[in-house]
Amino acid sequence: QVQLVESGGGAVQPGGSLRLSCAASVTMLSFVRMGWYRQAPGKQRELVASISNGGSTNYAESVKGRFTISKDSGKNTIYLQMNNLKVEDTAVYYCNGDQRPMGDYWGQGTQVTVSS
Protein backbone atom coordinates (compact mmCIF):
# COMPACT_ATOMS: atom_id res chain seq x y z
CA GLN A 1 0.00 0.00 0.00
CA VAL A 2 1.47 3.33 -1.13
CA GLN A 3 0.19 6.64 0.19
CA LEU A 4 1.57 10.13 -0.37
CA VAL A 5 0.31 12.94 1.86
CA GLU A 6 1.05 16.60 1.13
CA SER A 7 0.95 19.45 3.61
CA GLY A 8 2.12 23.03 3.94
CA GLY A 9 -0.03 24.80 1.39
CA GLY A 10 -1.73 28.08 2.12
CA ALA A 11 -2.28 31.67 1.06
CA VAL A 12 0.56 34.18 0.86
CA GLN A 13 1.31 37.55 -0.69
CA PRO A 14 3.63 37.94 -3.67
CA GLY A 15 7.22 37.65 -2.51
CA GLY A 16 6.30 35.36 0.35
CA SER A 17 7.46 31.82 1.06
CA LEU A 18 5.95 28.42 1.72
CA ARG A 19 7.40 25.00 2.42
CA LEU A 20 5.51 21.97 1.17
CA SER A 21 6.00 18.48 2.59
CA CYS A 22 5.12 15.08 1.16
CA ALA A 23 5.26 12.08 3.47
CA ALA A 24 5.34 8.61 1.95
CA SER A 25 3.89 5.56 3.66
CA VAL A 26 6.70 3.39 2.27
CA THR A 27 10.44 3.75 2.22
CA MET A 28 11.68 6.36 -0.23
CA LEU A 29 14.23 3.84 -1.40
CA SER A 30 11.41 2.18 -3.35
CA PHE A 31 11.02 5.30 -5.52
CA VAL A 32 13.30 5.89 -8.48
CA ARG A 33 12.27 9.55 -8.47
CA MET A 34 9.89 11.78 -6.56
CA GLY A 35 8.66 15.21 -7.43
CA TRP A 36 6.16 18.02 -7.30
CA TYR A 37 3.64 18.89 -9.99
CA ARG A 38 1.12 21.69 -10.07
CA GLN A 39 -2.11 22.43 -11.87
CA ALA A 40 -3.84 25.78 -12.14
CA PRO A 41 -7.46 26.23 -13.28
CA GLY A 42 -7.71 25.89 -17.05
CA LYS A 43 -4.12 24.70 -17.39
CA GLN A 44 -2.47 21.31 -17.72
CA ARG A 45 -0.54 19.72 -14.91
CA GLU A 46 3.15 20.54 -15.11
CA LEU A 47 6.31 19.33 -13.44
CA VAL A 48 7.70 21.81 -10.93
CA ALA A 49 10.67 19.93 -9.51
CA SER A 50 11.89 16.37 -9.04
CA ILE A 51 14.64 14.53 -7.19
CA SER A 52 16.08 11.11 -7.95
CA ASN A 53 16.99 8.38 -5.52
CA GLY A 54 20.60 9.46 -5.99
CA GLY A 55 19.81 13.10 -5.26
CA SER A 56 19.91 14.69 -8.70
CA THR A 57 17.31 17.42 -9.22
CA ASN A 58 15.33 18.97 -12.06
CA TYR A 59 13.35 22.21 -12.08
CA ALA A 60 10.91 23.93 -14.36
CA GLU A 61 12.47 27.04 -15.86
CA SER A 62 9.78 29.19 -14.29
CA VAL A 63 10.84 28.24 -10.76
CA LYS A 64 14.63 27.96 -11.05
CA GLY A 65 16.34 30.09 -8.46
CA ARG A 66 13.17 30.39 -6.39
CA PHE A 67 12.17 26.81 -5.50
CA THR A 68 14.29 24.08 -3.94
CA ILE A 69 13.39 20.40 -3.69
CA SER A 70 14.97 18.26 -0.99
CA LYS A 71 14.44 14.98 0.81
CA ASP A 72 14.82 13.34 4.19
CA SER A 73 15.13 9.63 3.57
CA GLY A 74 14.92 8.83 7.27
CA LYS A 75 11.47 10.43 7.40
CA ASN A 76 10.42 9.20 3.94
CA THR A 77 9.59 12.80 3.12
CA ILE A 78 10.34 15.25 0.33
CA TYR A 79 10.03 19.02 0.58
CA LEU A 80 9.55 21.95 -1.73
CA GLN A 81 10.83 25.26 -0.41
CA MET A 82 9.14 28.03 -2.39
CA ASN A 83 10.57 31.54 -2.11
CA ASN A 84 9.69 34.79 -3.84
CA LEU A 85 6.28 33.43 -4.75
CA LYS A 86 4.44 34.99 -7.66
CA VAL A 87 0.76 35.18 -8.51
CA GLU A 88 1.35 32.76 -11.38
CA ASP A 89 2.52 30.13 -8.87
CA THR A 90 -1.07 29.78 -7.68
CA ALA A 91 -2.13 26.16 -8.23
CA VAL A 92 -2.84 22.85 -6.57
CA TYR A 93 0.49 21.16 -5.91
CA TYR A 94 0.72 17.37 -6.11
CA CYS A 95 3.37 15.01 -4.83
CA ASN A 96 4.43 12.21 -7.17
CA GLY A 97 6.45 9.06 -6.67
CA ASP A 98 7.82 6.86 -9.43
CA GLN A 99 7.88 3.35 -7.98
CA ARG A 100 9.11 1.13 -10.75
CA PRO A 101 7.93 -1.31 -11.95
CA MET A 102 4.58 -0.62 -10.23
CA GLY A 103 4.06 2.86 -11.68
CA ASP A 104 3.36 6.39 -10.48
CA TYR A 105 1.61 7.32 -7.26
CA TRP A 106 0.03 10.68 -6.42
CA GLY A 107 -0.90 12.61 -3.34
CA GLN A 108 -4.23 14.35 -2.86
CA GLY A 109 -2.84 17.81 -3.57
CA THR A 110 -2.41 20.96 -1.51
CA GLN A 111 -3.59 24.43 -2.52
CA VAL A 112 -1.12 27.28 -2.89
CA THR A 113 -2.64 30.71 -3.42
CA VAL A 114 -0.53 33.80 -4.06
CA SER A 115 -2.42 37.08 -4.10
CA SER A 116 -2.03 40.66 -2.96
Side-chain angles (χ1 to χ4, degrees):
Q1 183 179 7
V2 177
Q3 185 177 3
L4 303 175
V5 180
E6 302 102 329
S7 62
V12 297
Q13 295 182 340
S17 298
L18 285 172
R19 190 191 192 205
L20 306 183
S21 299
C22 173
S25 63
V26 298
T27 175
M28 287 184 59
L29 295 176
S30 67
F31 296 103
V32 175
R33 176 171 290 274
M34 298 187 71
W36 292 94
Y37 290 71
R38 67 185 181 188
Q39 187 167 24
K43 300 180 66 177
Q44 298 202 24
R45 186 173 299 186
E46 64 175 349
L47 174 68
V48 177
S50 66
I51 185 166
S52 72
N53 184 274
S56 63
T57 58
N58 289 311
Y59 295 93
E61 287 295 325
S62 61
V63 307
K64 284 184 177 179
R66 299 189 297 120
F67 292 9
T68 303
I69 188 169
S70 61
K71 64 179 179 179
D72 186 333
S73 296
K75 296 182 178 179
N76 294 321
T77 300
I78 65 168
Y79 306 92
L80 185 67
Q81 179 65 47
M82 304 185 293
N83 298 325
N84 191 24
L85 283 160
K86 303 176 179 180
V87 172
E88 51 263 44
D89 294 319
T90 296
V92 177
Y93 285 69
Y94 297 91
C95 181
N96 168 267
D98 180 357
Q99 191 183 59
R100 299 178 185 179
M102 300 303 297
D104 288 293
Y105 295 89
W106 296 88
Q108 80 287 349
T110 185
Q111 177 70 47
V112 172
T113 301
V114 185
S115 62
S116 58

